[in-house]
Amino acid sequence: MSKNSRSGFSITTRMTQVGRDPSKQAGFVNPAIYRGSTVVFPTVNDLEHRRMEFTYGTDGTPTIANLENAWSELAGAAGTVLSPSGIGAIALALLTTLKSGDHLLMPDSVYRPTRLLCAGMLAKMGIETSYYDPLLGKDIVTQFRANTSVLFLESPGSQSFEVQDVPTMTALAKEHGITTIIDNTWATPLFFRAHEHGCDLSVEAGTKYLGGHSDLLLGLISANAQWWPKLREAYDLMSMLPGAEDCFLALRGLRTMHLRLKAAETRALELANWLKSRPEVLKVLHPAFPECPGHEFWQRDFTGSSGLFSIILQPQYSKAALENMLDYLSIFAMGFSWGGFESLVLPFNCADYRSVTHWQPGGLAIRIQVGLEDMNELKTDLEQGFERLKKFV
């Protein structure tokens, strides 16, 4: 089925169809897994003129191309390339758009490994990174310099969930000839249309909701028409492609991704509202709640929310009390990722690495990933944890 013939269908229907073609798959519903390095050519002339869709394994395979094409259609992009991890995708996007002597703007709320990449590899290349308040909005122009080449966005922010005014900021960047990149992992293209809101490149950790089962690492970078040739060139030069099995798992995860996201949204909102009523909780940081910084932009620009949010505990609780709460949870596990079927908690403190904004939430912070377990049992697990928390006051 052609892309145009799918345009009138809902996103739920389209996600069952993109990235596969049974007429080219001997009638099988799902495409095959292609593993390979060498591609053989029928004639010398074909070899010399590279007359094959793929000329070597580093060009990709039909498995990889199926996923790239599917993601481009869902993201509304001119093209997509893949990476073995989310941070790899961020690195590729930055290396595509930056050169020595450039200035990069990063939100102070950005995913911490991105900060490490900027302080390490990019600094060695002579690229200067400055951090800005993610809620600057139209005042982002005060941070622009003559050599500012890239404005990076992450909305909502990692752990602290500030929602940025993306359309305003990308429009101002465009006026100044500045390229924009967004980390859109929390919302995915299903809940936030990054390219339609002015972003040149959009990065996604497919490790999270695309995979959906905590069993693969994957990154995706989609680009608009202006940046797609340059992104593909950088990708081809580095040959930083993922394995065939991971792409197959991602294509399989794609079929149920919208349903899983909607379920995650409903379940997270239920748990977040329950936590909001708990006396141990000072506040809930969820973009769909009015008290979340930048909520008005989420309400204007997003079509949904995913299963990840944070809570701030009341100020009287100590770190020892928090450890007593989290160490003995029965269902919630502690881990750095999210987007899978299992519920997770992660204690965090942004004050350790923020550089231009002050992280003073009023109490200790916990990030929560809501999985697929029974909701009443999840609440009971946290309720028992709160009882342990209060024993240390």
Side-chain angles (χ1 to χ4, degrees):
M1 181 177 289
S2 70
K3 177 178 176 180
N4 290 337
S5 64
R6 287 192 290 262
S7 60
F9 292 153
S10 69
I11 189 65
T12 303
T13 299
R14 288 167 60 204
M15 293 192 77
T16 69
Q17 299 175 346
V18 295
R20 66 185 188 89
D21 186 351
S23 69
K24 297 178 181 178
Q25 297 157 193
F28 286 97
V29 170
N30 289 310
I33 299 176
Y34 285 80
R35 306 179 187 89
S37 55
T38 302
V39 175
V40 295
F41 298 80
T43 69
V44 170
N45 190 264
D46 287 323
L47 185 147
E48 289 178 344
H49 292 89
R50 297 179 178 266
R51 289 197 192 96
M52 297 287 279
E53 183 179 0
F54 306 98
T55 61
Y56 191 69
T58 52
D59 291 341
T61 66
T63 308
I64 291 174
N66 282 332
L67 181 55
E68 290 171 341
N69 293 337
W71 196 257
S72 295
E73 184 170 340
L74 293 175
T80 297
V81 295
L82 309 179
S83 168
S85 69
I87 190 62
I90 291 169
L92 180 56
L94 292 170
L95 291 173
T96 298
T97 54
L98 291 164
K99 63 183 184 306
S100 180
D102 282 352
H103 174 235
L104 165 66
L105 280 169
M106 276 280 171
D108 212 22
S109 54
V110 76
Y111 176 56
R112 195 173 187 184
T114 305
R115 299 181 81 103
L116 298 176
L117 175 67
C118 294
M121 179 183 290
L122 296 189
K124 290 178 182 177
M125 294 172 60
I127 296 165
E128 181 185 0
T129 303
S130 296
Y131 291 88
Y132 66 90
D133 184 337
L135 298 174
L136 272 182
K138 60 182 174 54
D139 292 331
I140 190 65
V141 293
T142 64
Q143 306 299 304
F144 292 166
R145 303 179 188 172
N147 64 333
T148 304
S149 293
V150 172
L151 171 64
F152 196 96
L153 305 107
E154 181 178 298
S155 185
S158 184
Q159 299 179 338
S160 49
F161 291 93
E162 299 93 336
V163 183
Q164 297 191 260
D165 186 356
V166 175
T168 295
M169 298 173 78
T170 57
L172 290 169
K174 187 177 290 294
E175 288 178 12
H176 289 77
I178 296 169
T179 303
T180 51
I181 304 171
I182 190 168
D183 185 334
N184 195 35
T185 301
W186 182 84
T188 82
L190 303 185
F191 287 162
F192 182 76
R193 306 287 292 172
H195 296 298
E196 291 176 13
H197 287 89
C199 299
D200 294 307
L201 288 86
S202 181
V203 176
E204 181 91 17
T207 307
K208 311 300 196 282
Y209 283 115
L210 178 57
H213 295 79
S214 302
D215 56 5
L216 68 87
L217 289 167
L218 186 72
L220 308 100
I221 315 102
S222 60
N224 60 17
Q226 177 188 353
W227 274 98
W228 167 236
K230 301 170 188 175
L231 175 63
R232 184 70 209 196
E233 179 186 20
Y235 174 78
D236 288 337
L237 287 170
M238 286 187 275
S239 298
M240 192 173 65
L241 64 167
E245 283 79 6
D246 286 342
C247 293
F248 176 82
L249 288 173
L251 280 166
R252 187 171 68 174
L254 187 73
R255 308 307 170 200
T256 60
M257 182 177 167
H258 188 238
L259 297 176
R260 288 185 286 103
L261 263 177
K262 293 300 290 183
E265 175 183 41
T266 300
R267 293 167 61 78
L269 286 170
E270 179 181 344
L271 189 63
N273 276 298
W274 178 79
L275 286 164
K276 193 175 179 180
S277 69
R278 293 291 307 188
E280 303 87 357
V281 176
L282 177 65
K283 56 187 169 184
V284 175
L285 299 176
H286 189 301
F289 287 11
E291 57 270 30
C292 189
H295 163 75
E296 64 273 22
F297 305 127
W298 174 84
Q299 193 171 40
R300 183 191 67 192
D301 300 333
F302 289 66
T303 58
S305 58
S306 61
L308 192 76
F309 63 93
S310 293
I311 63 172
I312 309 301
L313 298 176
Q314 295 286 356
Q316 66 264 34
Y317 300 118
S318 65
K319 187 173 184 293
L322 176 64
E323 290 174 358
N324 197 48
M325 173 188 175
L326 300 183
D327 285 352
Y328 303 99
L329 290 170
S330 299
I331 302 175
F332 283 91
M334 282 184 281
F336 289 103
S337 195
W338 46 275
F341 58 85
E342 77 285 14
S343 292
L344 299 171
V345 291
L346 179 72
F348 68 92
N349 182 8
C350 298
D352 293 342
Y353 52 85
R354 292 272 177 116
S355 55
V356 297
T357 57
H358 297 290
W359 172 249
Q360 297 176 319
L364 297 173
I366 307 171
R367 191 179 72 181
I368 296 175
Q369 133 80 10
V370 183
L372 300 179
E373 302 89 349
D374 181 85
M375 182 56 67
N376 289 328
E377 291 173 351
L378 288 176
K379 291 176 182 177
T380 298
D381 196 24
L382 290 175
E383 198 164 29
Q384 292 171 350
F386 285 137
E387 291 304 312
R388 294 190 298 272
L389 177 79
K390 290 185 285 191
K391 288 180 180 178
F392 274 77
V393 175

